[in-house]
Amino acid sequence: MKEDLSTALPTDEEAYYLAELFKVFADSTRIKILYAISEKELCVMDICQELNMSQSSISHQLRVLKQSRLVKFRRDGRTIYYSLADHHVQTMLSQGMEHVAE
């Protein structure tokens, strides 16, 4: 007996939010930032040095990543350190890279 396809489809709202999440991954700078902070938490200036980019460019991309709940941050005095929000972000990066490498 064939499974009803409508039970496997996401709702319109779920599909919208998933598409919005994938849009965040559509920028190579954001991907590089996610990889940079996947090993250890870094401040904006550390990320700037790693990617050889301006502070304003990195800050803008971090704002997008924070709004999408892909990164988290903690404040230590005047310095803010960024890291991946959870293991799901690392999984998405790893699976995406695995797919690209096929």
Side-chain angles (χ1 to χ4, degrees):
M1 187 169 195
K2 196 165 76 170
E3 182 182 333
D4 184 11
L5 182 59
S6 64
T7 60
L9 291 175
T11 66
D12 288 345
E13 184 177 18
E14 289 169 332
Y16 171 81
Y17 287 118
L18 185 58
E20 290 299 308
L21 174 65
F22 284 138
K23 284 180 189 178
V24 176
F25 284 99
D27 182 274
S28 61
T29 298
R30 289 193 286 264
I31 296 294
K32 289 177 183 179
I33 291 170
L34 291 171
Y35 268 97
I37 63 175
S38 68
E39 296 299 315
K40 63 178 182 174
E41 62 181 15
L42 298 171
C43 68
V44 172
M45 294 316 295
D46 292 337
I47 299 169
C48 291
Q49 289 175 349
E50 282 290 319
L51 276 59
N52 195 27
M53 294 181 68
S54 71
Q55 183 268 331
S56 62
S57 296
I58 297 299
S59 292
H60 170 73
Q61 299 302 342
L62 283 168
R63 190 168 26 261
V64 172
L65 292 167
K66 283 191 302 188
Q67 289 172 341
S68 300
R69 298 185 329 230
L70 295 173
V71 301
K72 62 183 177 183
F73 63 94
R74 72 171 180 86
R75 184 178 298 275
D76 185 7
R78 294 184 63 186
T79 306
I80 300 174
Y81 292 93
Y82 295 89
S83 59
L84 297 182
D86 57 41
H87 72 280
H88 296 109
V89 180
Q90 182 66 51
T91 300
M92 287 186 280
L93 287 172
S94 297
Q95 290 185 342
M97 190 58 81
E98 186 179 314
H99 180 74
V100 167
E102 281 186 2

